[in-house]
Amino acid sequence: MTCLEDYPPEVRAEVGQVRQSVCDLHAELPRWGLVVWTAGNVSQRLHSADLFVIKPSGVRYDELTPESMVVCDLDGNLVDGTRSPSSDTAAHAYVYRHMPKVYGVVHTHSTYATAWAARGEEIPCVLTMMGDEFGGPVPVGPFAIIGDDSIGRGIVETLRASRSPAVLMCNHGPFTVGKDATAAVKAAVMVEEVARTVHMAMQLGDPLPIPQDRIDALYDRYTNVYGQH
Amino acid sequence: MTCLEDYPPEVRAEVGQVRQSVCDLHAELPRWGLVVWTAGNVSQRLHSADLFVIKPSGVRYDELTPESMVVCDLDGNLVDGTRSPSSDTAAHAYVYRHMPKVYGVVHTHSTYATAWAARGEEIPCVLTMMGDEFGGPVPVGPFAIIGDDSIGRGIVETLRASRSPAVLMCNHGPFTVGKDATAAVKAAVMVEEVARTVHMAMQLGDPLPIPQDRIDALYDRYTNVYGQH
Amino acid sequence: MTCLEDYPPEVRAEVGQVRQSVCDLHAELPRWGLVVWTAGNVSQRLHSADLFVIKPSGVRYDELTPESMVVCDLDGNLVDGTRSPSSDTAAHAYVYRHMPKVYGVVHTHSTYATAWAARGEEIPCVLTMMGDEFGGPVPVGPFAIIGDDSIGRGIVETLRASRSPAVLMCNHGPFTVGKDATAAVKAAVMVEEVARTVHMAMQLGDPLPIPQDRIDALYDRYTNVYGQH
Amino acid sequence: MTCLEDYPPEVRAEVGQVRQSVCDLHAELPRWGLVVWTAGNVSQRLHSADLFVIKPSGVRYDELTPESMVVCDLDGNLVDGTRSPSSDTAAHAYVYRHMPKVYGVVHTHSTYATAWAARGEEIPCVLTMMGDEFGGPVPVGPFAIIGDDSIGRGIVETLRASRSPAVLMCNHGPFTVGKDATAAVKAAVMVEEVARTVHMAMQLGDPLPIPQDRIDALYDRYTNVYGQH
């Protein structure tokens, strides 16, 4: 087994930074109401080595420390850490192996996104903020359970066929990706927000559709112009 | 009447620890939105004697202290404490007398679980996290009111016929059990979360069923593998 | 005009205590999600004189101090305070004049209770905690607007015909009463909780009715036995 | 390009005060649950010059400081600040150019208001607090996306035809206005509250209408009498 001491100093330095960042980002999950108890996890891939940092399994959010974060290789094997990695580690690892631009992955069971997932129903793109963030509907991935690569494969195949950084895994909940863990957490926050808002809209009637060319214009502007440069 | 001074020092020491723990765990109930005002209670049974520690009646959460927690025997008689025990004490005591592996009991009126209870309708197992935590649907217990053993008997009979650590008592609310008070509080948090998520799923259509063998696989893995060992 | 300096010292002392208590209790309204911005008010009647203490008009919750609380006589005339009393003062005063056992009144626009009020629909007694706290359904009062005694009269006539300490004023929101302001705040918290829970229950079907003799038994026990004595 | 140093001292002094005030008011948006992540913005126009202060683009709420607030002229050009102005700046500027009594503008994607906007459905005036605050229904503006003046024009044309300080822009979300940023934030809080309450009322039946003369009486009293004078 490889261990972290075998890696060069710049990798160990990046591990330290990413442990801090991933630990801090876990606090965003309860803050935005995305998780209860221990049910959600954030990971970030390193740039200096084929490793990623993820939450330990079954530990509560207010007990997490940077040191308790676990380091794994891209096959999901434990490289450093005194605790077992999250039980969703294999799915995170599969995503990193097959989506080379993804450096952050988040999984939650946030209420409204999971409700859409329980019906196996994609969230239609009826809000301008969905055009901005998701570039279309939020897609549904297959039913799959822990034990082999079927969750990871379902995430990757669904995301590759979509502009969305979020997928609703059937009967399970959302997985989101991004260029780092912060972007994946933002996508997890936004997918719950649009899941909730479109849910409310549909309870009392039919939302108005947004024409595809308007969705394209929103997505293009947001992706290329928005934010600080 | 027996009093705590008649018990050996190790019992009195365990009472002190459990009072602290049960007091702390009451703070989880408002934290996760499970209770308003004084409407919920946590208890934990001792290992060193046939006693349990429970919330005093009608006291608000932010006024609770370890010292204000009440000690009762397994018939629900007051053994130590300056206040009356919770009005649900008889139900907790009945559970401890009849379920020897249970060392923690929680009762709340959490909104969504109580809404299912008001219809007398079990929560179907349509989420992978329900397979994990409950091993199937969350069952409904009979209508019963305070005054005899009918609440406790309804809880025990319903839980014995199910894998679930939670029962929805008809028109009343959830009771949950566990190997200690922490596990019972976790079950109370999770039953509200699944009650809410499945409620939302059913508002806009029909959730997809999960095949029984997949539920069994989820429950088996979660019970035997999950968390830190 | 009478002023507070004309009252004996024991009245001025009670005013000081009640100002503190009423100020503190206003913090419970946002805490339990019953109000936004300035939309809700608490008052308490004195025992030593025909006066009550109420929130000033249009002041935000985190700017309230004991000193900013306003003292009025039972006709709603200002007796002490540098600010205008709440625009609901006439309704509070009417209740105190006509319900001699009431020493606390609360008014909010809490979401679910106000939603029932918008339909002019009473909340059916389908939860054991409603039997405990309300002794039956939560009744609806008439449509009335500020300008004369019609709000106060509507509250009093509706509450006199009911066991409930809460009334849903049509298209407006809940008013609650109690033996002091704390009891009225508790009733305001509980009416929102049962409004929300029964709303959720009814969204997916029909709640099971509770037989009247069981409601009577719950109400009798709760009124006469519950809490610390 | 004009810069802030070219303005007289009283303008620079007002900029400093308004930066502080607009920064503080952004904290109200997450406090009242109106926004997630960076999705919302507040601006206030100056009285001493044709300038306004607005949130920088894509910055998170807890990273905002008075210094990070951006100053623009009424055409939306950057006058002072190290960051890009909010991507909604053109819409705020259009409102200030065409509604001379408006000195505060707020935009959010608050859940319930946005759900009504997704259906393109006005919120009917069925609550006395809606009569008070909005003087009638909350109107819907046209579908428009960023890129020209169509959002600003849609806001202004809709608000001019209504008493309401809030407009629901189709598929997008609410914009609110006021005599300063505080008043616009209050309107943003209130529009979400009435959107939520009327949503809940309509889920289980039909709200009772309020006669127009009663709405007029409520609006007149609230506009002319309410609050501290």
Side-chain angles (χ1 to χ4, degrees), chain A residues 28 31-32 126-128 186 193 196 200-201 203-204 207-208 214 221 226-228, chain D residues 37-38 57-58 60 62 83-84 111-112 115 118-119 145 170-172 199 203:
Chain A
E28 300 286 332
R31 176 183 179 185
W32 297 108
V126 295
L127 303 172
T128 56
K186 180 185 178 187
E193 182 67 4
R196 178 167 41 223
M200 297 308 171
Q203 284 194 306
L204 295 180
L208 301 170
R214 299 294 82 194
R221 182 199 67 85
Y226 182 69
Q228 301 293 334
Chain D
W37 216 254
T38 65
S57 177
R60 300 191 52 193
D62 43 14
R83 295 163 174 271
S84 310
T111 305
Y112 288 89
R119 292 192 307 272
I145 70 173
C170 214
N171 296 102
H172 186 170
H199 178 96
Q203 283 193 306

mmCIF file of all heavy atoms in Angstrom, chain A residues 28 31-32 126-128 186 193 196 200-201 203-204 207-208 214 221 226-228, chain D residues 37-38 57-58 60 62 83-84 111-112 115 118-119 145 170-172 199 203:
data_model
loop_
_atom_site.group_PDB
_atom_site.id
_atom_site.type_symbol
_atom_site.label_atom_id
_atom_site.label_comp_id
_atom_site.label_asym_id
_atom_site.label_seq_id
_atom_site.Cartn_x
_atom_site.Cartn_y
_atom_site.Cartn_z
ATOM 1 N N GLU A 28 -21.015 23.946 4.724
ATOM 2 C CA GLU A 28 -22.037 24.548 3.857
ATOM 3 C C GLU A 28 -23.256 23.628 3.697
ATOM 4 O O GLU A 28 -24.354 24.107 3.395
ATOM 5 C CB GLU A 28 -21.455 24.839 2.462
ATOM 6 C CG GLU A 28 -20.291 25.800 2.467
ATOM 7 C CD GLU A 28 -20.731 27.236 2.706
ATOM 8 O OE1 GLU A 28 -21.879 27.579 2.359
ATOM 9 O OE2 GLU A 28 -19.919 28.008 3.251
ATOM 10 N N ARG A 31 -25.591 24.194 6.568
ATOM 11 C CA ARG A 31 -25.940 25.619 6.516
ATOM 12 C C ARG A 31 -27.059 25.898 5.523
ATOM 13 O O ARG A 31 -27.958 26.702 5.783
ATOM 14 C CB ARG A 31 -24.691 26.414 6.104
ATOM 15 C CG ARG A 31 -24.959 27.886 5.916
ATOM 16 C CD ARG A 31 -23.715 28.604 5.429
ATOM 17 N NE ARG A 31 -23.963 30.009 5.233
ATOM 18 C CZ ARG A 31 -23.085 30.857 4.727
ATOM 19 N NH1 ARG A 31 -21.874 30.427 4.407
ATOM 20 N NH2 ARG A 31 -23.411 32.119 4.562
ATOM 21 N N TRP A 32 -27.030 25.271 4.360
ATOM 22 C CA TRP A 32 -28.052 25.483 3.340
ATOM 23 C C TRP A 32 -29.151 24.427 3.397
ATOM 24 O O TRP A 32 -29.955 24.309 2.473
ATOM 25 C CB TRP A 32 -27.411 25.538 1.946
ATOM 26 C CG TRP A 32 -26.478 26.686 1.794
ATOM 27 C CD1 TRP A 32 -25.111 26.628 1.740
ATOM 28 C CD2 TRP A 32 -26.810 28.078 1.707
ATOM 29 N NE1 TRP A 32 -24.588 27.894 1.627
ATOM 30 C CE2 TRP A 32 -25.594 28.793 1.601
ATOM 31 C CE3 TRP A 32 -28.018 28.791 1.716
ATOM 32 C CZ2 TRP A 32 -25.564 30.197 1.500
ATOM 33 C CZ3 TRP A 32 -27.981 30.175 1.618
ATOM 34 C CH2 TRP A 32 -26.769 30.861 1.515
ATOM 35 N N VAL A 126 -37.458 25.810 -16.342
ATOM 36 C CA VAL A 126 -38.495 26.841 -16.425
ATOM 37 C C VAL A 126 -38.130 28.100 -15.645
ATOM 38 O O VAL A 126 -38.975 28.962 -15.422
ATOM 39 C CB VAL A 126 -39.853 26.292 -15.928
ATOM 40 C CG1 VAL A 126 -40.332 25.181 -16.863
ATOM 41 C CG2 VAL A 126 -39.760 25.799 -14.496
ATOM 42 N N LEU A 127 -36.874 28.205 -15.216
ATOM 43 C CA LEU A 127 -36.406 29.375 -14.470
ATOM 44 C C LEU A 127 -35.167 29.918 -15.160
ATOM 45 O O LEU A 127 -34.299 29.143 -15.568
ATOM 46 C CB LEU A 127 -36.025 28.976 -13.034
ATOM 47 C CG LEU A 127 -37.106 28.305 -12.193
ATOM 48 C CD1 LEU A 127 -36.500 27.814 -10.877
ATOM 49 C CD2 LEU A 127 -38.262 29.260 -11.934
ATOM 50 N N THR A 128 -35.056 31.245 -15.220
ATOM 51 C CA THR A 128 -33.846 31.798 -15.841
ATOM 52 C C THR A 128 -32.599 31.339 -15.100
ATOM 53 O O THR A 128 -31.568 31.106 -15.729
ATOM 54 C CB THR A 128 -33.907 33.340 -15.904
ATOM 55 O OG1 THR A 128 -34.105 33.859 -14.590
ATOM 56 C CG2 THR A 128 -35.033 33.811 -16.810
ATOM 57 N N LYS A 186 -21.589 24.598 -4.717
ATOM 58 C CA LYS A 186 -22.532 25.584 -5.269
ATOM 59 C C LYS A 186 -23.601 24.882 -6.113
ATOM 60 O O LYS A 186 -24.793 25.185 -5.998
ATOM 61 C CB LYS A 186 -21.810 26.622 -6.120
ATOM 62 C CG LYS A 186 -22.775 27.648 -6.687
ATOM 63 C CD LYS A 186 -22.126 28.625 -7.641
ATOM 64 C CE LYS A 186 -23.186 29.588 -8.183
ATOM 65 N NZ LYS A 186 -22.643 30.454 -9.241
ATOM 66 N N GLU A 193 -32.260 24.339 -4.705
ATOM 67 C CA GLU A 193 -33.081 25.549 -4.835
ATOM 68 C C GLU A 193 -34.016 25.450 -6.045
ATOM 69 O O GLU A 193 -35.202 25.787 -5.955
ATOM 70 C CB GLU A 193 -32.163 26.766 -4.976
ATOM 71 C CG GLU A 193 -32.881 28.086 -5.077
ATOM 72 C CD GLU A 193 -33.615 28.500 -3.822
ATOM 73 O OE1 GLU A 193 -33.530 27.796 -2.787
ATOM 74 O OE2 GLU A 193 -34.305 29.519 -3.870
ATOM 75 N N ARG A 196 -36.743 22.826 -5.430
ATOM 76 C CA ARG A 196 -37.789 23.346 -4.540
ATOM 77 C C ARG A 196 -38.694 24.331 -5.273
ATOM 78 O O ARG A 196 -39.928 24.260 -5.192
ATOM 79 C CB ARG A 196 -37.129 24.026 -3.344
ATOM 80 C CG ARG A 196 -38.116 24.654 -2.376
ATOM 81 C CD ARG A 196 -37.448 25.043 -1.055
ATOM 82 N NE ARG A 196 -36.154 25.627 -1.305
ATOM 83 C CZ ARG A 196 -35.051 25.350 -0.602
ATOM 84 N NH1 ARG A 196 -35.105 24.524 0.412
ATOM 85 N NH2 ARG A 196 -33.903 25.923 -0.895
ATOM 86 N N MET A 200 -42.691 23.878 -6.182
ATOM 87 C CA MET A 200 -43.744 24.797 -5.737
ATOM 88 C C MET A 200 -44.549 25.302 -6.937
ATOM 89 O O MET A 200 -45.779 25.379 -6.880
ATOM 90 C CB MET A 200 -43.137 25.983 -4.989
ATOM 91 C CG MET A 200 -42.416 25.625 -3.703
ATOM 92 S SD MET A 200 -43.434 24.620 -2.581
ATOM 93 C CE MET A 200 -42.190 24.188 -1.353
ATOM 94 N N ALA A 201 -43.840 25.649 -8.018
ATOM 95 C CA ALA A 201 -44.546 26.143 -9.213
ATOM 96 C C ALA A 201 -45.533 25.099 -9.720
ATOM 97 O O ALA A 201 -46.682 25.423 -10.052
ATOM 98 C CB ALA A 201 -43.542 26.512 -10.295
ATOM 99 N N GLN A 203 -47.028 22.696 -8.134
ATOM 100 C CA GLN A 203 -48.125 22.318 -7.243
ATOM 101 C C GLN A 203 -49.415 23.025 -7.584
ATOM 102 O O GLN A 203 -50.493 22.530 -7.273
ATOM 103 C CB GLN A 203 -47.756 22.653 -5.798
ATOM 104 C CG GLN A 203 -46.780 21.677 -5.211
ATOM 105 C CD GLN A 203 -46.713 21.846 -3.729
ATOM 106 O OE1 GLN A 203 -46.479 22.936 -3.225
ATOM 107 N NE2 GLN A 203 -46.945 20.777 -3.016
ATOM 108 N N LEU A 204 -49.339 24.205 -8.149
ATOM 109 C CA LEU A 204 -50.559 24.989 -8.404
ATOM 110 C C LEU A 204 -50.807 25.243 -9.885
ATOM 111 O O LEU A 204 -51.587 26.124 -10.240
ATOM 112 C CB LEU A 204 -50.483 26.333 -7.649
ATOM 113 C CG LEU A 204 -50.470 26.253 -6.124
ATOM 114 C CD1 LEU A 204 -50.382 27.649 -5.530
ATOM 115 C CD2 LEU A 204 -51.707 25.537 -5.590
ATOM 116 N N PRO A 207 -45.794 25.499 -15.051
ATOM 117 C CA PRO A 207 -44.849 26.579 -15.330
ATOM 118 C C PRO A 207 -44.818 26.870 -16.826
ATOM 119 O O PRO A 207 -45.067 25.980 -17.655
ATOM 120 C CB PRO A 207 -43.501 26.027 -14.867
ATOM 121 C CG PRO A 207 -43.795 24.782 -14.114
ATOM 122 C CD PRO A 207 -45.143 24.300 -14.530
ATOM 123 N N LEU A 208 -44.505 28.108 -17.190
ATOM 124 C CA LEU A 208 -44.361 28.489 -18.587
ATOM 125 C C LEU A 208 -43.017 27.976 -19.095
ATOM 126 O O LEU A 208 -41.999 28.149 -18.415
ATOM 127 C CB LEU A 208 -44.408 30.016 -18.707
ATOM 128 C CG LEU A 208 -45.701 30.650 -18.182
ATOM 129 C CD1 LEU A 208 -45.558 32.171 -18.121
ATOM 130 C CD2 LEU A 208 -46.886 30.253 -19.045
ATOM 131 N N ARG A 214 -33.514 30.919 -25.823
ATOM 132 C CA ARG A 214 -33.337 31.774 -24.640
ATOM 133 C C ARG A 214 -32.507 31.044 -23.581
ATOM 134 O O ARG A 214 -31.696 31.648 -22.888
ATOM 135 C CB ARG A 214 -34.693 32.211 -24.056
ATOM 136 C CG ARG A 214 -35.605 33.028 -24.978
ATOM 137 C CD ARG A 214 -35.039 34.394 -25.314
ATOM 138 N NE ARG A 214 -34.063 34.308 -26.397
ATOM 139 C CZ ARG A 214 -33.203 35.271 -26.732
ATOM 140 N NH1 ARG A 214 -33.185 36.405 -26.050
ATOM 141 N NH2 ARG A 214 -32.341 35.132 -27.709
ATOM 142 N N ARG A 221 -24.119 33.330 -21.666
ATOM 143 C CA ARG A 221 -23.690 34.516 -20.923
ATOM 144 C C ARG A 221 -23.132 34.144 -19.562
ATOM 145 O O ARG A 221 -22.071 34.603 -19.142
ATOM 146 C CB ARG A 221 -24.852 35.494 -20.726
ATOM 147 C CG ARG A 221 -24.440 36.790 -19.991
ATOM 148 C CD ARG A 221 -25.612 37.529 -19.401
ATOM 149 N NE ARG A 221 -26.215 36.781 -18.313
ATOM 150 C CZ ARG A 221 -25.793 36.809 -17.037
ATOM 151 N NH1 ARG A 221 -24.790 37.556 -16.683
ATOM 152 N NH2 ARG A 221 -26.397 36.079 -16.107
ATOM 153 N N TYR A 226 -20.315 35.947 -16.420
ATOM 154 C CA TYR A 226 -20.700 36.202 -15.035
ATOM 155 C C TYR A 226 -19.513 36.129 -14.065
ATOM 156 O O TYR A 226 -18.575 35.392 -14.269
ATOM 157 C CB TYR A 226 -21.750 35.185 -14.626
ATOM 158 C CG TYR A 226 -22.269 35.372 -13.236
ATOM 159 C CD1 TYR A 226 -23.060 36.463 -12.891
ATOM 160 C CD2 TYR A 226 -21.961 34.445 -12.254
ATOM 161 C CE1 TYR A 226 -23.538 36.615 -11.609
ATOM 162 C CE2 TYR A 226 -22.442 34.593 -10.968
ATOM 163 C CZ TYR A 226 -23.225 35.681 -10.654
ATOM 164 O OH TYR A 226 -23.695 35.828 -9.373
ATOM 165 N N GLY A 227 -19.636 36.868 -12.975
ATOM 166 C CA GLY A 227 -18.661 36.771 -11.884
ATOM 167 C C GLY A 227 -17.466 37.689 -12.092
ATOM 168 O O GLY A 227 -17.456 38.522 -12.983
ATOM 169 N N GLN A 228 -16.496 37.550 -11.239
ATOM 170 C CA GLN A 228 -15.306 38.413 -11.269
ATOM 171 C C GLN A 228 -14.219 37.772 -12.122
ATOM 172 O O GLN A 228 -13.953 36.582 -11.999
ATOM 173 C CB GLN A 228 -14.783 38.631 -9.851
ATOM 174 C CG GLN A 228 -15.795 39.273 -8.908
ATOM 175 C CD GLN A 228 -16.134 40.706 -9.283
ATOM 176 O OE1 GLN A 228 -15.346 41.395 -9.897
ATOM 177 N NE2 GLN A 228 -17.330 41.151 -8.912
ATOM 178 N N TRP D 37 -26.562 31.164 -1.898
ATOM 179 C CA TRP D 37 -25.272 31.464 -2.524
ATOM 180 C C TRP D 37 -25.164 32.957 -2.862
ATOM 181 O O TRP D 37 -25.277 33.780 -1.960
ATOM 182 C CB TRP D 37 -25.073 30.559 -3.751
ATOM 183 C CG TRP D 37 -23.652 30.152 -3.931
ATOM 184 C CD1 TRP D 37 -22.796 30.626 -4.891
ATOM 185 C CD2 TRP D 37 -22.908 29.220 -3.151
ATOM 186 N NE1 TRP D 37 -21.565 30.020 -4.745
ATOM 187 C CE2 TRP D 37 -21.603 29.164 -3.695
ATOM 188 C CE3 TRP D 37 -23.204 28.428 -2.028
ATOM 189 C CZ2 TRP D 37 -20.609 28.345 -3.173
ATOM 190 C CZ3 TRP D 37 -22.228 27.616 -1.503
ATOM 191 C CH2 TRP D 37 -20.952 27.579 -2.079
ATOM 192 N N THR D 38 -25.027 33.352 -4.124
ATOM 193 C CA THR D 38 -24.859 34.783 -4.450
ATOM 194 C C THR D 38 -26.082 35.370 -5.146
ATOM 195 O O THR D 38 -26.035 36.497 -5.658
ATOM 196 C CB THR D 38 -23.659 34.995 -5.398
ATOM 197 O OG1 THR D 38 -23.954 34.365 -6.655
ATOM 198 C CG2 THR D 38 -22.396 34.405 -4.835
ATOM 199 N N SER D 57 -20.575 41.595 -8.535
ATOM 200 C CA SER D 57 -21.070 40.370 -9.161
ATOM 201 C C SER D 57 -20.417 39.117 -8.576
ATOM 202 O O SER D 57 -19.203 39.092 -8.344
ATOM 203 C CB SER D 57 -20.761 40.441 -10.666
ATOM 204 O OG SER D 57 -21.153 39.268 -11.316
ATOM 205 N N GLY D 58 -21.200 38.083 -8.341
ATOM 206 C CA GLY D 58 -20.664 36.765 -8.013
ATOM 207 C C GLY D 58 -19.906 36.654 -6.712
ATOM 208 O O GLY D 58 -19.136 35.718 -6.524
ATOM 209 N N ARG D 60 -19.934 36.160 -2.547
ATOM 210 C CA ARG D 60 -20.816 35.557 -1.562
ATOM 211 C C ARG D 60 -21.153 36.533 -0.443
ATOM 212 O O ARG D 60 -20.400 37.446 -0.139
ATOM 213 C CB ARG D 60 -20.176 34.297 -1.011
ATOM 214 C CG ARG D 60 -19.938 33.297 -2.171
ATOM 215 C CD ARG D 60 -19.563 31.956 -1.678
ATOM 216 N NE ARG D 60 -20.568 31.544 -0.703
ATOM 217 C CZ ARG D 60 -20.401 30.517 0.101
ATOM 218 N NH1 ARG D 60 -19.291 29.822 0.052
ATOM 219 N NH2 ARG D 60 -21.339 30.191 0.957
ATOM 220 N N ASP D 62 -21.247 36.460 2.827
ATOM 221 C CA ASP D 62 -20.410 36.679 4.008
ATOM 222 C C ASP D 62 -19.027 37.209 3.642
ATOM 223 O O ASP D 62 -18.208 37.444 4.526
ATOM 224 C CB ASP D 62 -20.333 35.433 4.901
ATOM 225 C CG ASP D 62 -20.155 34.179 4.094
ATOM 226 O OD1 ASP D 62 -19.832 34.277 2.893
ATOM 227 O OD2 ASP D 62 -20.334 33.093 4.659
ATOM 228 N N ARG D 83 -14.390 45.834 -8.255
ATOM 229 C CA ARG D 83 -15.009 44.633 -8.800
ATOM 230 C C ARG D 83 -16.071 45.016 -9.830
ATOM 231 O O ARG D 83 -16.518 46.153 -9.874
ATOM 232 C CB ARG D 83 -15.665 43.828 -7.671
ATOM 233 C CG ARG D 83 -14.664 43.280 -6.673
ATOM 234 C CD ARG D 83 -15.360 42.865 -5.396
ATOM 235 N NE ARG D 83 -14.441 42.213 -4.475
ATOM 236 C CZ ARG D 83 -14.193 40.913 -4.452
ATOM 237 N NH1 ARG D 83 -14.795 40.112 -5.319
ATOM 238 N NH2 ARG D 83 -13.353 40.400 -3.576
ATOM 239 N N SER D 84 -16.500 44.031 -10.612
ATOM 240 C CA SER D 84 -17.586 44.257 -11.570
ATOM 241 C C SER D 84 -18.891 44.413 -10.815
ATOM 242 O O SER D 84 -19.129 43.714 -9.825
ATOM 243 C CB SER D 84 -17.734 43.062 -12.507
ATOM 244 O OG SER D 84 -16.507 42.705 -13.058
ATOM 245 N N THR D 111 -38.028 31.653 -3.138
ATOM 246 C CA THR D 111 -38.664 30.430 -3.646
ATOM 247 C C THR D 111 -40.117 30.601 -4.074
ATOM 248 O O THR D 111 -40.483 30.259 -5.208
ATOM 249 C CB THR D 111 -38.593 29.330 -2.566
ATOM 250 O OG1 THR D 111 -37.225 29.161 -2.196
ATOM 251 C CG2 THR D 111 -39.151 28.008 -3.077
ATOM 252 N N TYR D 112 -40.960 31.081 -3.188
ATOM 253 C CA TYR D 112 -42.395 31.087 -3.498
ATOM 254 C C TYR D 112 -42.741 32.179 -4.503
ATOM 255 O O TYR D 112 -43.547 31.964 -5.409
ATOM 256 C CB TYR D 112 -43.223 31.215 -2.215
ATOM 257 C CG TYR D 112 -43.185 29.946 -1.412
ATOM 258 C CD1 TYR D 112 -42.197 29.727 -0.458
ATOM 259 C CD2 TYR D 112 -44.103 28.934 -1.638
ATOM 260 C CE1 TYR D 112 -42.138 28.547 0.264
ATOM 261 C CE2 TYR D 112 -44.060 27.751 -0.926
ATOM 262 C CZ TYR D 112 -43.082 27.556 0.030
ATOM 263 O OH TYR D 112 -43.028 26.386 0.722
ATOM 264 N N ALA D 115 -41.799 30.863 -7.749
ATOM 265 C CA ALA D 115 -42.735 29.825 -8.222
ATOM 266 C C ALA D 115 -43.957 30.463 -8.905
ATOM 267 O O ALA D 115 -44.403 29.995 -9.954
ATOM 268 C CB ALA D 115 -43.170 28.936 -7.051
ATOM 269 N N ALA D 118 -42.795 31.653 -12.201
ATOM 270 C CA ALA D 118 -42.592 30.566 -13.181
ATOM 271 C C ALA D 118 -43.903 30.225 -13.893
ATOM 272 O O ALA D 118 -43.898 29.804 -15.053
ATOM 273 C CB ALA D 118 -42.022 29.328 -12.491
ATOM 274 N N ARG D 119 -45.013 30.392 -13.207
ATOM 275 C CA ARG D 119 -46.320 30.167 -13.841
ATOM 276 C C ARG D 119 -46.836 31.435 -14.516
ATOM 277 O O ARG D 119 -47.893 31.407 -15.153
ATOM 278 C CB ARG D 119 -47.357 29.715 -12.803
ATOM 279 C CG ARG D 119 -47.135 28.348 -12.217
ATOM 280 C CD ARG D 119 -48.349 27.862 -11.434
ATOM 281 N NE ARG D 119 -48.789 28.812 -10.429
ATOM 282 C CZ ARG D 119 -48.325 28.866 -9.172
ATOM 283 N NH1 ARG D 119 -47.419 28.009 -8.757
ATOM 284 N NH2 ARG D 119 -48.778 29.776 -8.344
ATOM 285 N N ILE D 145 -34.699 38.680 -20.801
ATOM 286 C CA ILE D 145 -33.411 38.226 -20.294
ATOM 287 C C ILE D 145 -32.360 39.319 -20.462
ATOM 288 O O ILE D 145 -32.547 40.295 -21.186
ATOM 289 C CB ILE D 145 -32.937 36.892 -20.928
ATOM 290 C CG1 ILE D 145 -32.550 37.072 -22.385
ATOM 291 C CG2 ILE D 145 -33.982 35.805 -20.733
ATOM 292 C CD1 ILE D 145 -31.920 35.797 -22.966
ATOM 293 N N CYS D 170 -41.491 37.245 -15.135
ATOM 294 C CA CYS D 170 -41.878 35.908 -15.618
ATOM 295 C C CYS D 170 -40.676 34.954 -15.726
ATOM 296 O O CYS D 170 -39.659 35.313 -16.333
ATOM 297 C CB CYS D 170 -42.541 36.088 -16.980
ATOM 298 S SG CYS D 170 -43.830 34.912 -17.276
ATOM 299 N N ASN D 171 -40.822 33.729 -15.154
ATOM 300 C CA ASN D 171 -39.758 32.700 -15.163
ATOM 301 C C ASN D 171 -38.467 33.151 -14.480
ATOM 302 O O ASN D 171 -37.444 32.462 -14.606
ATOM 303 C CB ASN D 171 -39.380 32.269 -16.601
ATOM 304 C CG ASN D 171 -40.502 31.595 -17.341
ATOM 305 O OD1 ASN D 171 -41.142 32.205 -18.184
ATOM 306 N ND2 ASN D 171 -40.770 30.350 -17.020
ATOM 307 N N HIS D 172 -38.509 34.270 -13.775
ATOM 308 C CA HIS D 172 -37.270 34.835 -13.268
ATOM 309 C C HIS D 172 -37.318 35.022 -11.750
ATOM 310 O O HIS D 172 -36.655 34.286 -11.020
ATOM 311 C CB HIS D 172 -37.012 36.155 -14.022
ATOM 312 C CG HIS D 172 -35.700 36.802 -13.723
ATOM 313 N ND1 HIS D 172 -35.205 37.859 -14.440
ATOM 314 C CD2 HIS D 172 -34.776 36.544 -12.767
ATOM 315 C CE1 HIS D 172 -34.027 38.202 -13.949
ATOM 316 N NE2 HIS D 172 -33.757 37.434 -12.944
ATOM 317 N N HIS D 199 -49.847 30.668 -1.478
ATOM 318 C CA HIS D 199 -49.566 29.325 -2.017
ATOM 319 C C HIS D 199 -50.174 28.252 -1.113
ATOM 320 O O HIS D 199 -50.887 27.354 -1.576
ATOM 321 C CB HIS D 199 -48.050 29.139 -2.124
ATOM 322 C CG HIS D 199 -47.612 27.787 -2.608
ATOM 323 N ND1 HIS D 199 -47.303 27.524 -3.913
ATOM 324 C CD2 HIS D 199 -47.454 26.609 -1.959
ATOM 325 C CE1 HIS D 199 -46.966 26.257 -4.058
ATOM 326 N NE2 HIS D 199 -47.050 25.682 -2.879
ATOM 327 N N GLN D 203 -53.384 25.566 -1.864
ATOM 328 C CA GLN D 203 -53.148 24.126 -1.987
ATOM 329 C C GLN D 203 -54.332 23.300 -1.516
ATOM 330 O O GLN D 203 -54.505 22.165 -1.939
ATOM 331 C CB GLN D 203 -51.929 23.724 -1.160
ATOM 332 C CG GLN D 203 -50.634 24.097 -1.823
ATOM 333 C CD GLN D 203 -49.483 23.414 -1.156
ATOM 334 O OE1 GLN D 203 -49.315 23.517 0.059
ATOM 335 N NE2 GLN D 203 -48.707 22.692 -1.921
#
